[in-house]
Amino acid sequence: MSNGMPASGHATSRVPGHATSRSNAYDPALVRELIMGPNPLRLCEETLDDAAAHGCALAPGSLVLDLGSGRGLTSAFLARHWGVRVVAADLWGNPADALATSARLGLGARDVLPVHADACDLPFAEEVFDAVTCIDAYNYFGRASAGSASLRPRGTFAWSASATSPATTRPGATGWPVTTPTPPATAGPSRPALLPG
């Protein structure tokens, strides 16, 4: 684990509370160095495990937009453990820093492509991404439509914030318009918002 990373491998099911989860395998000093709040690897893992448990798993090879990616740690985590290609979009982070994080963790621009972008004014065509993730940053955007136009029909929007449980929405699911990927009013610390497709 010389670079702070565990051995490569795609995601497998995790037993809740199990001490050998993917996020626990990372060097704590590396995580502390690269984060700006709660452990984003744990939030990402819990969010995506929850999504998979509700039929919204990320398929290897999918193209994922990681909104509010900061220095790229969650983006590298997604690429390495879920086998997806990630566009790491952040308004305040430096794409060079995110690229350096990916390189430090054994990944390249084919795995994680960092871009400087505003989540409320993304420079992408409509319906490009198979999934949009947002780990502990969605509350900064101030609007419900961040990232939704770039999501393919039946794609997964998975987000978490440190004050809430992981939430997953599937735009286009029965009863929920594609332009509104926000969770229902029942979302909160004790009830994750889930919309199975």
Side-chain angles (χ1 to χ4, degrees):
M1 205 157 80
S2 62
N3 64 359
M5 287 278 294
S8 178
H10 296 296
T12 57
S13 295
R14 174 176 79 88
V15 176
H18 195 264
T20 59
S21 70
R22 295 172 293 252
S23 59
N24 286 338
Y26 283 68
D27 177 12
L30 172 76
V31 173
R32 280 191 304 275
E33 175 188 333
L34 296 173
I35 68 173
M36 296 181 274
N39 185 332
L41 299 180
R42 172 126 341 126
L43 289 173
C44 185
E45 181 174 30
E46 290 173 355
T47 299
L48 294 177
D49 284 349
D50 190 54
H54 290 86
C56 301
L58 297 182
S62 294
L63 183 59
V64 176
L65 173 61
D66 188 21
L67 291 176
S69 57
R71 295 177 67 190
L73 185 59
T74 56
S75 302
F77 188 61
L78 288 164
R80 189 163 192 78
H81 293 286
W82 278 267
V84 297
R85 297 170 296 134
V86 181
V87 174
D90 197 274
L91 179 61
W92 300 318
N94 182 339
D97 291 342
L99 195 57
T101 297
S102 292
R104 181 176 176 183
L105 301 176
L107 300 166
R110 289 184 56 94
D111 305 303
V112 177
L113 178 63
V115 296
H116 182 259
D118 184 338
C120 297
D121 188 25
L122 291 169
F124 308 114
E126 291 185 10
E127 301 180 3
V128 173
F129 297 98
D130 299 303
V132 175
T133 60
C134 186
I135 307 304
D136 205 27
Y138 198 70
N139 53 308
Y140 293 108
F141 308 144
R143 62 187 290 169
S145 61
S148 64
S150 296
L151 189 60
R152 289 187 177 148
R154 308 299 298 160
T156 299
F157 190 99
W159 64 276
S160 68
S162 56
T164 65
S165 298
T168 306
T169 61
R170 295 216 45 189
T174 304
W176 294 92
V178 172
T179 56
T180 310
T182 55
T186 57
S190 62
R191 287 184 72 183
L194 299 169
L195 295 176

